[in-house]
Amino acid sequence: MTPTVRRAGAFALVGTLALAVPPIAGRTSAALATVAAPGPFLLVAALALYVVDEGPVFELFARPGDRRDGRLYGLAGFALAAAALALLSVRFTLPMPVFVGTVFLLAWGNLGGHLVRSVRDEPFVATAGFVLAGFLAGTVGQYAAAVLLGAPTEWPLVAFLAASGALLGALLRAVLFERDDPLVMVSIGLLLWLFADLPLSIDPTGVAIALAVAFLFGYLAYALETASLPGMITGVFLCLQTIVLGDFGWFLLLVTFFGVGGLSTKFRYEEKERRGIAEENEGARGSGNVLANSLVGLAAVLGWSASPTLTGLDPELFLFAFAGSIAAAMSDTLSSEIGGVFDNPRLITTFERVEPGTDGAVTWQGEVAGLAGACLIAAIALGTFGRIGVVGAGIVVFGGVVGMTVDSLLGATVEGVFLENEGVNFFATLAAGIAAAAVAAAALPIPVA
């Protein structure tokens, strides 16, 4: 057993202390629980910072930076993050099963990932080990907390929360450093708290199918090199949310963008390399690019699942916002990837000819490709959501064109100065989603409150 695996196992045992919190919260007054519930983890943090500075226990938990500083900062940070979530659970409305499941998920997921890596040091396989171990541990942690509290267990929700947390943890670990585990833990806990508060009705079969389909498409994207490992994890996470929080129609729109958009980066790739406009990493999209193009869509599907109970808005508005933002992402991707291989582009603000690859430059071929991409998303939305109708499909196309145009305008004016490409993509999809929802509210019989 490697030192890394032993350390991960030790952290997993510390994480198991989360099971001490539900009995404390359930058998003491609120005032006493506020002090006592975080106690086990605060004690661990104090020992890590002020007592254990050498010896076998120190060597067991120490990371390279800890040995240099003579303090177990990694262990202390992990314990303090768990203590903070425990406090949110006993003093606020973070569900206790979510707290325990989050700590278990990260602690035992880390162990699973390191165990797999010790056998086969391949990033994709190690990430799969983290996700699988995290999912199982998160499920067990939620169930154990519910049993300790005598509370009912909704297995579909438990599985959805565990899967979402494992994927988010894998994504954050892929883009952050190992010492950032406290940030990862808190981020998972807050996201699962949000999901737990949504008025969700989850079908067990739907969750199983969602997981299988999302992982299948994620693996294909990674195998075909249309997404990097973080990009693949992001895509799988987003696909899972759209299937469970929306339905398979929402997923179909999103996966169409991922598939067609990803393949478009391979279109005449060598030529785009010569022009200096090709995507890095052989066209494989990273997590930043995937999130920038999909974050508005994720917000829309969350709004859909929360409406009208929490937002006061008709859910249909969020459907149009989602479809409009995805149409914009598709339009922008196709206009850039296809239009970039043609000569004589013109700057959108002045229409003067510029070099290929200039931010804000457009070609008529790219504009046609972008319009076709918006029409593709609108057609799928029309076929999948019959209630959208022909007028609604036109609104989706309008949103896509708005987003594509905003992307070019921002590229010509602020990209490279105030915003990077990911920021431009985000604001373009945001403009598209707002435009589509606003026009739908004005043109269609959709109540807004």
Side-chain angles (χ1 to χ4, degrees), residues 128-382:
F130 172 87
V131 172
L132 178 60
F135 169 73
L136 294 175
T139 301
V140 170
Q142 292 179 75
Y143 178 73
V147 169
L148 290 172
L149 294 172
T153 303
E154 298 180 32
W155 278 108
L157 179 61
V158 166
F160 170 63
L161 294 179
S164 298
L167 288 168
L168 179 62
L171 171 60
L172 293 176
R173 284 168 52 81
V175 298
L176 298 174
F177 297 101
E178 186 178 6
R179 63 176 177 268
D180 293 321
D181 270 354
L183 175 61
V184 175
M185 184 189 297
V186 172
S187 299
I188 294 172
L190 293 179
L191 178 75
L192 300 192
W193 186 2
L194 169 64
F195 286 163
D197 280 349
L198 291 176
L200 299 178
S201 178
I202 301 178
D203 175 62
T205 304
V207 173
I209 295 175
L211 287 170
V213 171
F215 278 105
L216 173 62
F217 276 92
Y219 175 76
L220 289 175
Y222 183 73
L224 294 172
E225 298 183 343
T226 60
S228 65
L229 179 59
M232 181 273 289
I233 300 170
T234 305
V236 172
F237 173 76
L238 292 170
C239 286
L240 176 64
Q241 308 313 312
T242 55
I243 294 174
V244 175
L245 301 180
D247 58 35
F248 281 92
W250 298 65
F251 165 76
L252 185 58
L253 294 180
L254 185 64
V255 81
T256 298
F257 161 63
F258 285 157
V260 176
L263 291 175
S264 71
T265 63
K266 304 293 186 180
F267 175 70
R268 292 164 67 172
Y269 186 80
E270 292 77 11
E271 184 175 346
K272 285 185 279 191
E273 271 192 317
R274 290 194 297 270
R275 290 171 176 255
I277 61 173
E279 288 283 335
E280 298 178 352
N281 301 319
E282 297 294 324
R285 301 271 177 171
S287 58
N289 184 281
V290 175
L291 277 176
N293 283 295
S294 309
L295 201 55
V296 174
L298 177 60
V301 75
L302 286 171
W304 162 276
S305 63
S307 296
T309 306
L310 301 180
T311 67
L313 299 174
D314 191 279
E316 298 298 306
L317 291 178
F318 292 101
L319 174 57
F320 278 99
F322 179 86
S325 70
I326 299 302
M330 178 73 88
S331 296
D332 173 55
T333 299
L334 294 186
S335 65
S336 300
E337 296 296 339
I338 295 177
V341 302
F342 292 96
D343 295 323
N344 302 318
R346 295 179 181 272
L347 198 65
I348 193 172
T349 51
T350 63
F351 294 103
E352 63 180 298
R353 290 184 177 178
V354 292
E355 291 294 321
T358 301
D359 293 331
V362 298
T363 62
W364 71 263
Q365 296 94 337
E367 294 298 293
V368 170
L371 178 61
C375 289
L376 174 61
I377 294 298
I380 294 174
L382 176 61

Side-chain angles (χ1 to χ4, degrees), residues 1-30:
M1 183 182 296
T2 67
T4 301
V5 172
R6 286 197 295 271
R7 182 171 65 243
F11 270 81
L13 292 177
V14 172
T16 308
L17 289 174
L19 287 177
V21 177
I24 293 174
R27 298 172 186 172
T28 59
S29 65

